[in-house]
Amino acid sequence: MEELTVGKLANEAGINLETIRYYETINLMPKPKRKESGYRVYDLNDLKRLLFIKRAKELGFTLKEIRELLEIKVESKSTCGDIKHLAENKILDVEQKIKDLQKIKNVLKKLVSQCVNEEITADECPILEAIEFNL
C-alpha cells in the first residue's frame, strides 16, 4: 500500500496541512502511523476518508454531522434511510439559510437605496447609521 506524507496527503486531497492536523486532533481523522523518524505516514484509506470529509463539507455538513455520517458508514446496522434522514435535515437547514440570506439581501438593498448622496461624509452615511442604530 502506498505511503503518503502529510504534505502529499494534503496536496492529493486539496486540503490545508493544518486542517488535517486539526481533524486528527478532534478525532475526525485517525491518528496516523509514524515512521521511526517520527514522520507521519498515511495510506489510501486516509486519503479516501479525507476526501469524504471534504465532499461532505462542500455539501454543507458540519464536522459534527460528518462525524455522524462516518459513524453510520462503518456501523453495520445502519441503513441508507439513516443517511437519508441526515440529508433531509441538511436540506431543511439549507432552506432556512437561504431564507435568512434573502432577508439580509433585502435589508442591504433597502440600506443602499437610502444612500442617495454618495458625496456625504462617512459619519453621515445612512448605512452606517442604520447599522449603529441596530447594535
Side-chain angles (χ1 to χ4, degrees):
M1 189 172 278
E2 183 183 353
E3 291 184 344
L4 304 167
T5 64
V6 69
K8 178 134 174 123
L9 179 68
N11 187 50
E12 291 285 326
I15 292 178
N16 186 296
L17 187 120
E18 292 303 317
T19 302
I20 295 171
R21 290 188 177 131
Y22 175 69
Y23 290 166
E24 290 170 6
T25 302
I26 64 169
N27 297 318
L28 201 55
M29 285 290 292
K31 298 288 182 207
K33 297 173 190 145
R34 292 191 181 261
K35 289 188 171 189
E36 287 183 27
S37 61
Y39 286 109
R40 298 169 178 193
V41 179
Y42 301 87
D43 61 27
L44 292 179
N45 289 327
D46 294 316
L47 178 58
K48 287 179 184 177
R49 185 177 181 107
L50 194 55
L51 289 170
F52 179 91
I53 294 167
K54 180 181 176 183
R55 289 182 189 125
K57 279 188 57 99
E58 289 169 351
L59 289 172
F61 287 99
T62 65
L63 294 180
K64 181 179 181 242
E65 292 166 334
I66 293 169
R67 184 182 313 281
E68 289 178 54
L69 288 170
L70 287 167
E71 288 171 2
I72 288 172
K73 189 174 185 225
V74 298
E75 188 178 302
S76 62
K77 296 178 185 176
S78 298
T79 65
C80 186
D82 296 327
I83 298 164
K84 179 183 177 186
H85 180 70
L86 287 174
E88 288 170 337
N89 286 337
K90 182 49 60 184
I91 290 169
L92 295 174
D93 289 346
V94 169
E95 288 172 345
Q96 185 59 51
K97 286 179 184 177
I98 290 170
K99 287 178 187 175
D100 292 343
L101 287 170
Q102 191 63 44
K103 287 178 187 176
I104 291 169
K105 177 183 171 185
N106 291 338
V107 169
L108 286 170
K109 279 183 159 184
K110 183 178 177 183
L111 289 173
V112 166
S113 72
Q114 292 174 358
C115 188
V116 292
N117 184 354
E118 294 182 21
E119 301 302 318
I120 62 172
T121 62
D123 52 333
E124 295 177 299
C125 178
I127 296 171
L128 292 178
E129 287 177 3
I131 293 171
E132 186 176 347
F133 177 73
N134 287 319
L135 292 179

